[in-house]
Every structure is written in C-alpha cells, then in structure tokens.
Amino acid sequence: MQVTRDTFNQVMVPNYNPAAMVPVRGEGSRVWDQEGIEYIDFAGGIAVNVLGHCHPELVKALAEQGSKLWHLSNVFTNEPALQLAQKLTDATFADKVYFANSGAEANEAALKLARRYALDHFGQEKDQIIAFAKGFHGRTFFTVTVGGQPAYSDGFGPKPGAIVHCEYNNLDALKALVSERTCAIMMEPMQGEGGIIVPDVAFIKGVRALCDEHNALLIFDEVQSGMGRTGKLFDYMNTGVTPDILTSAKSLGGGFPVGAMLTTDKVSASLKPGTHGSTYGGNPLACAIAEKVFDIVNTSEVLEGVLHKEALFREKLHAINEKHHVFSEIRGKGMLLGCALNDKYKGHAKDIMTAATEQGLMCLIAGMDVVRFAPSLIIPDEDIIEGLERFERGIAKFIANAE
Ligand SMILES: *Cc1c(COP(=O)(O)O)cnc(C)c1O
C-alpha cells in the first residue's frame, strides 16, 4: 500500500501537523525518509531516543524478550519489571516504583497518590495542588490542568479542581500561595516544553522547604529531564534536592512506550490494592527494553559523555550566533538545549525548524521563541558537527527569506 504525507490529512485526526517528509528508517543519530534523503536527528523523538535509533543492544533486548513473553497484565508480576524496579530504586532516593505507559500516566498516578496520601494522613481539606506557569505534565485531563498552559486545558468542560498555578522560579509568589491546604507541589526541575528554563537552585531548595513546612509532597516531573539527559541519571541529583515522588518516561524506554512513578515506602503505602492501575503498566516487553536502556545510560561513560557533547554544542552554537545574530541565549543542560531567539526573530522558532529540516537536520521547538535540541546521549561528535553545519545553512536560508 502506498502512503504519503497526504494520506495523513485523509485518515488521521488533525490534532498534529507533522513535517512534510515521512521518515522510514533510522540508525544511530541518522534517519532516512521515503525519498531516501538523510537527516541528522537532534530531535530524538522529543527527548525519547536516548540511545539513538535501533541501538543494537536495544534491538537485541527487544528480540529476546519478544520471543519469550510480551504481556501478562498485573494479575501476574514479571521478571523484567521487578529487575527494572530494583535498579531504579537502587540508583535513586526511591523505595518503590509504579509502572505506566507514558509520562502523562506516570504523572496521573503521582497526582492521585498525592491526593490519597493527604487524605490518609491529614483529611479531605488538604487537596490543593500547586504547579507552575508554562509547566507541562501531559495531556490527560488531570495532568493537562496541572500543566501551566490554559490553552491546552481549556475547552473540555469542567476541570479537576483545587489546582493553582504560580510563576516559575519565583519563591515569594509561591510563599504567598502555599498553605496547610496544599497537598503537593508539582514541578519540572527544569522546564522543557515551557522553553528550556533552568530555575535557580535556591528556588528549588525553597520549594522543598515550603513543602516540608506545610506537610506537602514535592513531585518532580522528570519525564523530559531524566534518564541521563542532564549528565546525571536524574536532574534532581544536580540540585541536591530530593523529591517525594518522581516521574520518568520519554528516555526511560529509549523509544518503547513506558513510564514510571518513583516514591518512598511511606508515601507509596497510600496506593493500596485496588486504588489505581493499568492493563499494560509494567509490561515485560517494555520493562526488558527499559532495563537495557538503564544499564547503558547509567554508566560514567555515557553520563560524562553528555557533558562533553553539551560543551561541543555550546561552542558551535555560539559560533553560529556570532555570525548570524539570531539567539539571545543558549540555555539548558546536557542534551536538552534551547536556543532562545532574540527580539528580531521572536515567534519564528517553527520557521527555523522547518528551514533546518530542509537542510537535513531534525530539531524541535519549545514554544514559538525557542529552538530545542534533545538528541541521543551518545550522538557521535561528527554528527553534532555536521548537524550544526546543516542547522547553520537552515539559519542562513531563514534569514535570507526573512529579509
Ligand atoms: C512529554 C512530557 C510529559 C508527557 O509525556 P507523555 O508520554 O507524552 O504522556 C509530561 N511531562 C513532561 C515534563 C514532559 O516533557
């Protein structure tokens, strides 16, 4: 059957507007489309393909588990889920893990757990969830309402209640909001979708202190920042602040859908049998792949490599900017970087992304003012260098068209 980008408009719900080309194959940090045109991938499936495309070890884990056992449901437990949970708890603050299939589902579990924990320990008055403007936590109705972009949550009828938003990186504003009614504060330790915004460590420490003062749980959404992307296994490890609940997805499965919620013994006790669940969560196929991802990512070789690659990106991006004067700032951490457009080019991130794609470079945006890169953590230096040459050609074309 012959399908093209036009087929999308005929048979797909129009909630997405994908690029003009249709990728068909990937290897490492290179991708080929239906025409055989090659691209270098700085998008990484939106911070998912943490080891690039078709990493041989992941293909092997997929094939091995694929010929052994795919699915059971949670009526039975399984070895890959238990092994992955053991490794995640050994490597983090957490004692317990709940598996889901996506970031939104991991966050949905975190929010329901926080509400139930507050009910168990403090009573039903303690139900308020504080989150941050421009935060992103997924698209289920609860998570999208907690997310700080009303445009995403409006227009679907009555929203889940007792959710308030605060300016990010503004501790005084948070102090004014938090009270004994607050059951949890949910935040990304660095905002991804909101524009690659790294808050002050003092702010994160202040959020932790306010949670402690008011018996509120601190939930870190590390769906985008986690699994090695910032050069540490999780970004909380860069900040010295430990959350009560942490969520992971995206890079966790390296391209296979899986999510996880990590928490302490004490907090986890509120998700008693029957309180929450998922048919697929903790599925052996997903967990076997995620376990292999974990084994490869959680090594000094890969984590230190991330910081080296970040330095290379920054050096080349600054050189591009000296020539073309498009960015006001290069920001972010590790392999999650944002190029914020200066006043002259604000609002044009998508045009730059399209121009880059036309030069053979896949990248992302984070809002209309920021071009975002979230490549594989093991992208070869040659691919970074060549990818940024293509990016620069895209920038030059974009500027020529804009003038
Ligand atoms: C992508 C993302 C989510 C949502 O994950 P899905 O797998 O799309 O449901 C949640 N939180 C953050 C921080 C994200 O970047």
Side-chain angles (χ1 to χ4, degrees):
M1 193 197 295
Q2 192 61 34
V3 289
T4 65
R5 174 64 179 78
D6 286 337
T7 317
F8 181 93
N9 298 343
Q10 290 154 26
V11 299
M12 301 290 267
V13 167
N15 62 316
Y16 304 118
N17 182 22
M21 55 85 170
V22 180
V24 293
R25 188 166 69 82
E27 194 186 321
S29 285
R30 308 236 173 184
V31 168
W32 290 266
D33 71 11
Q34 287 181 320
E35 316 295 322
I37 296 171
E38 182 215 75
Y39 300 83
I40 291 177
D41 186 5
F42 286 0
I46 318 189
V48 167
N49 301 319
V50 72
L51 298 173
H53 296 274
C54 300
H55 188 289
E57 294 278 328
L58 299 190
V59 173
K60 196 164 145 237
L62 172 71
E64 274 178 16
Q65 190 61 40
S67 54
K68 217 168 165 186
L69 188 65
W70 289 26
H71 176 76
L72 289 163
S73 88
N74 288 294
V75 176
F76 308 92
T77 190
N78 67 78
E79 290 178 352
L82 296 172
Q83 281 159 7
L84 177 60
Q86 189 71 61
K87 288 180 180 182
L88 286 169
T89 54
D90 284 350
T92 64
F93 75 95
D95 310 306
K96 293 284 200 290
V97 180
Y98 167 85
F99 286 119
N101 311 293
S102 66
E105 284 174 76
N107 285 332
E108 185 84 17
L111 292 164
K112 285 178 72 178
L113 172 57
R115 282 265 177 86
R116 188 56 73 96
Y117 177 85
L119 184 69
D120 286 351
H121 293 269
F122 304 99
Q124 63 185 23
E125 296 298 301
K126 196 173 179 69
D127 61 358
Q128 181 195 57
I129 290 158
I130 301 181
F132 295 94
K134 290 192 177 171
F136 185 78
H137 303 297
R139 298 285 201 151
T140 65
F141 206 17
F142 198 175
T143 57
V144 82
T145 305
V146 172
Q149 298 215 48
Y152 291 168
S153 53
D154 287 352
F156 299 103
K159 296 177 183 178
I163 296 164
V164 295
H165 293 95
C166 177
E167 194 187 337
Y168 195 58
N169 207 19
N170 183 339
L171 199 56
D172 289 333
L174 185 62
K175 272 184 191 147
L177 271 180
V178 69
S179 72
E180 286 311 302
R181 234 200 104 185
T182 307
C183 94
I185 300 180
M186 183 174 219
M187 66 183 287
E188 297 161 85
M190 67 179 280
Q191 287 189 335
E193 301 299 312
I196 310 295
I197 298 166
V198 179
D200 305 329
V201 172
F203 170 73
I204 302 179
K205 287 190 161 57
V207 178
R208 176 73 269 180
L210 286 172
C211 284
D212 293 342
E213 210 176 300
H214 296 277
N215 292 312
L217 297 179
L218 177 58
I219 307 172
F220 275 180
D221 178 346
E222 293 229 33
V223 169
Q224 190 153 166
S225 61
M227 283 309 291
R229 197 152 286 283
T230 65
K232 288 270 199 280
L233 184 61
F234 288 103
D235 191 27
Y236 85 85
M237 296 167 176
N238 288 310
T239 66
V241 174
T242 303
D244 301 294
I245 303 176
L246 178 148
T247 56
S248 177
K250 292 206 166 100
S251 295
L252 182 64
F256 200 92
V258 61
M261 176 189 73
L262 281 61
T263 189
T264 60
D265 276 326
K266 183 171 182 217
V267 174
S268 74
S270 287
L271 279 191
K272 295 180 183 65
T275 49
H276 192 56
S278 155
T279 299
Y280 291 116
N283 156 309
L285 198 49
C287 290
I289 296 164
E291 188 190 347
K292 183 54 77 180
V293 172
F294 180 94
D295 288 343
I296 298 172
V297 166
N298 196 32
T299 56
S300 54
E301 187 192 339
V302 169
L303 296 176
E304 280 161 24
V306 166
L307 299 180
H308 160 81
K309 289 174 197 303
E310 175 186 356
L312 181 59
F313 260 102
R314 284 182 180 276
E315 178 202 316
K316 299 275 170 200
L317 284 168
H318 281 295
I320 290 174
N321 202 33
E322 289 209 343
K323 229 156 111 190
H324 298 285
H325 311 288
V326 275
F327 311 130
S328 59
E329 194 187 1
I330 314 292
R331 63 197 186 206
K333 287 187 202 175
M335 289 297 92
L336 186 53
L337 296 171
C339 307
L341 300 178
N342 62 25
D343 285 342
K344 188 168 174 198
Y345 296 110
K346 269 209 166 105
H348 288 284
K350 192 150 191 203
D351 299 330
I352 293 179
M353 179 177 82
T354 304
T357 310
E358 283 165 8
Q359 299 301 317
L361 190 269
M362 293 155 71
C363 60
L364 301 166
I365 60 175
M368 288 304 142
D369 303 330
V370 179
V371 178
R372 172 173 41 154
F373 301 134
S376 157
L377 307 191
I378 56 167
I379 181 171
D381 289 357
E382 310 85 81
D383 289 10
I384 297 175
I385 292 164
E386 191 177 333
L388 286 172
E389 283 166 9
R390 296 180 188 188
F391 183 63
E392 181 173 0
R393 289 203 290 277
I395 295 265
K397 275 255 166 86
F398 160 76
I399 291 172
N401 283 340
E403 247 127 51

